[in-house]
Amino acid sequence: MQAIPDIPTPLVEVRVQARRDSGVADVVLVGQPPSPATGQLILGPGADELGVDEQWLVRYRVTAKAGSVQVVPLATGRLDHGWLVGTGQGSAAHWRAAGAALARAGLERANSGVVQVHLPLGTTARQAASLALGCVVGSHRYRVTSAAGRRIAGSAGGRRIAGSAGSDLPSMTTVALIAPPGDGAGPVAEAVARAQVLGRATGLARDLANTPSGDKDPAWLAGTAARLANRVPGLRATVRDERWLAEHGFGGVLAVGGGSARPPRLLELAWDPPGASPVAEHLVLVGKGITFDTGGISIKPAENMHLMRTDMSGGAAVIATLLAVGQLTLPLQVTGLVPCAENHVSGAAYRPGDVVRQVNGTTTEVTNTDAEGRLVLADALAHAVRTLAPSTLVDVATLTGAMKVSLGLRTGGLFATDRELAERIQAAGEAAGELWWQMPLIDDHAEALRSDIADLRQCPPGPGGVTAAMFLREFTGGLPWAHLDIAGPARAEKDYDEVNAGGTGFATRTLIELACSLTG
């Protein structure tokens, strides 16, 4: 019987300390170039004691390329070598790439559990935080292996799973940042601690996305999120089953999930701290939770269908965001809704030509069963408008292949009805290291949404990403709303910068930064 790793999987810890521990064998110097012309590094005070000077830099042809990791000889005591990590021109992106490169090297080369990192003079709290974030997310590994490991047990669709959790457990478990003297270790430590919350949230979203769908049915996804939420004081989790969904008119979720033997769920995570004003902001986040997507009767090609285990990446981002909001104890009311369903093929599957009644009574003509995401999101958005009184509404989903064509695999699509909200999300993305490009909501296509036999047509003609967003807009009640299409950046084919192959956790950090920006 298959065993999956415990979630969240282990990630490195990052701490800040004032001086190097002489008993630790693995030492790293981090450097920035004084100018693009020289390419040599500015190093911190730890360089002198390790026998590193300007001649040494020239001799070993040390460069400052962002994310470069060089193993070099050191002239001190029992330390015969160390690593040098380049941070390019010192941008936040370059520092994150450096941290990820350091983590990957540490998992392969470290001699002990602790790697000590000498920060260069003048390192800012933001740069240290970017390095720490890169270390945490760069250390992420999700593997289902036969290796001996911890015993785990859980449930998937009512059956028990237990066995050895494969875990390529890192030899490096801690990164100790040695802050330069007089550079304010307190602010650096505070920024690093916050960065770790964001990094661990990204790791959790990746874990959820990467979990094989044989184990990750709607009940498992909602139940795992609820279990993790119960560890965060003040965060409340509610899981609703298919009977509740039927009683409350979730026709879209029930239609999409009807073809699977594993019924749908609705997950609600609620953060409502005592300090939050009852008339202040209430941010509601909605994430697509399709635990596997065959396309239904409009079935997908076999090639790359295995990647559809990550089709709940939007839901994973919402789950991870709510846990982080609770860990940061933000003075803000935030609710997360994740409609969870498996879009499968069977005699019970919904069909092109069916008419679905959504939560708010709107009827939708189904024209493509592989456009299931908008049906489940429409129900959740309408439910939020009807019952939660949100002041801001944001949904996130791997929604359309059209967005991958438009923006590629590293940029998310942003649609918004409110300019201030759009600008706030783009600023949050910049702070988080996630790129968003605003797309238009073109009213010329509004008439194409109308159906001959229902209120709305699920897939009207026109630009696919735009018309999908316009369909969702019909269920937002005129509230300030943004739709984040992450079909491209939610998964990666290979490692790059701080991103590892597989589910990327994209949008998680943006949503956390968005919530932080709304606290005042």
Side-chain angles (χ1 to χ4, degrees):
M1 188 175 291
Q2 178 173 289
I4 58 174
D6 283 340
I7 292 176
T9 57
L11 300 172
V12 300
E13 296 279 351
V14 184
R15 67 176 185 235
V16 178
Q17 59 191 55
R19 58 183 62 87
R20 184 170 68 88
D21 179 356
S22 60
V24 175
D26 293 293
V27 175
V28 179
L29 295 170
V30 178
Q32 302 182 71
S35 71
T38 65
Q40 293 182 6
L41 286 79
I42 298 174
L43 300 174
D48 293 339
E49 64 177 286
L50 296 174
V52 177
D53 55 22
E54 186 174 335
Q55 292 182 347
W56 183 95
L57 293 174
V58 174
R59 180 187 311 164
Y60 294 106
R61 298 180 181 177
V62 174
T63 69
K65 181 180 178 181
S68 63
V69 179
Q70 296 169 266
V71 179
V72 291
L74 301 175
T76 175
R78 71 186 188 88
L79 295 177
D80 59 359
H81 75 278
W83 309 338
L84 269 165
V85 178
T87 59
Q89 298 303 311
S91 68
H94 285 175
W95 279 85
R96 288 193 303 272
L102 167 60
R104 292 169 187 143
L107 297 180
E108 297 174 359
R109 307 174 187 172
N111 298 306
S112 62
V114 179
V115 172
Q116 296 190 96
V117 180
H118 289 263
L119 298 177
L121 291 168
T123 300
T124 66
R126 183 183 183 191
Q127 288 171 331
S130 297
L131 183 74
L133 177 60
C135 285
V136 174
V137 298
S139 71
H140 180 264
R141 296 289 185 274
Y142 184 94
R143 299 286 186 274
V144 180
T145 77
S146 60
R150 295 164 295 164
R151 299 291 292 179
I152 61 105
S155 64
R159 64 187 177 85
R160 298 291 293 176
I161 55 173
S164 297
S167 56
D168 298 330
L169 290 175
S171 55
M172 177 187 71
T173 59
T174 303
V175 173
L177 302 182
I178 315 301
D183 277 17
V188 168
E190 183 178 344
V192 165
R194 183 180 184 277
Q196 288 194 88
V197 174
L198 272 69
R200 294 187 183 285
T202 303
L204 171 61
R206 291 179 180 180
D207 285 339
L208 294 173
N210 287 328
T211 299
S213 295
D215 294 300
K216 182 176 58 186
D217 66 356
W220 182 93
L221 179 59
T224 297
R227 173 176 59 82
L228 295 173
N230 288 336
R231 300 177 184 176
V232 181
L235 184 59
R236 186 175 70 256
T238 306
V239 178
R240 277 121 178 180
D241 65 13
E242 67 274 23
R243 290 178 293 277
W244 186 96
L245 293 169
E247 291 169 2
H248 291 80
F250 281 72
V253 176
L254 291 168
V256 171
S260 173
R262 308 193 291 182
R265 295 289 185 268
L266 176 68
L267 168 69
E268 179 177 333
L269 297 174
W271 173 253
D272 189 9
S277 168
V279 296
E281 183 78 37
H282 180 194
L283 173 63
V284 175
L285 306 174
V286 178
K288 174 184 169 184
I290 300 299
T291 56
F292 192 75
D293 182 17
T294 66
I297 288 177
S298 308
I299 196 164
K300 294 178 179 292
E303 185 180 6
N304 293 327
M305 192 192 286
H306 64 284
L307 297 175
M308 290 301 101
R309 63 175 173 264
T310 67
D311 206 25
M312 35 58 66
S313 292
V318 169
I319 292 167
T321 295
L322 264 293
L323 266 67
V325 164
Q327 291 160 0
L328 293 170
T329 62
L330 296 186
L332 169 76
Q333 186 179 3
V334 185
T335 302
L337 294 176
V338 182
C340 308
E342 185 174 66
N343 187 24
H344 228 301
V345 184
S346 75
Y350 76 127
R351 295 155 290 270
D354 285 358
V355 173
V356 170
R357 187 175 298 277
Q358 313 277 177
V359 162
N360 63 355
T362 299
T363 56
T364 299
E365 176 193 2
V366 176
T367 53
N368 183 344
T369 65
D370 192 25
E372 81 297 331
R374 66 197 72 186
L375 295 179
V376 301
L377 290 174
D379 273 352
L381 289 167
H383 175 69
V385 171
R386 187 172 69 177
T387 65
L388 298 178
S391 55
T392 302
L393 195 54
V394 178
D395 75 76
V396 55
T398 50
L399 204 65
T400 65
M403 199 54 55
K404 294 169 65 175
V405 175
S406 299
L407 299 178
L409 303 181
R410 301 190 183 186
T411 303
L414 163 62
F415 299 82
T417 57
D418 182 88
R419 177 179 295 180
E420 180 183 354
L421 177 58
E423 292 174 350
R424 195 180 286 271
I425 289 172
Q426 287 182 310
E430 183 177 356
E434 295 177 333
L435 181 61
W436 300 93
W437 188 264
Q438 187 168 2
M439 302 291 290
L441 292 165
I442 306 172
D443 285 333
D444 289 348
H445 298 289
E447 187 59 32
L449 285 169
R450 308 304 154 193
S451 166
D452 293 334
I453 63 169
D455 296 322
L456 298 176
R457 181 161 42 170
Q458 177 200 28
C459 297
V466 173
T467 55
M470 294 185 68
F471 176 86
L472 293 177
R473 186 178 65 175
E474 297 287 320
F475 299 89
T476 61
L479 292 168
W481 161 76
H483 162 59
L484 307 180
D485 193 330
I486 58 171
R491 58 183 74 93
E493 297 178 356
K494 60 182 180 181
D495 295 355
Y496 64 89
D497 299 334
E498 75 273 20
V499 175
N500 292 345
T504 65
F506 190 88
T508 303
R509 300 198 301 270
T510 294
L511 294 178
I512 297 170
E513 293 286 7
L514 172 64
C516 290
S517 76
L518 293 170
T519 60

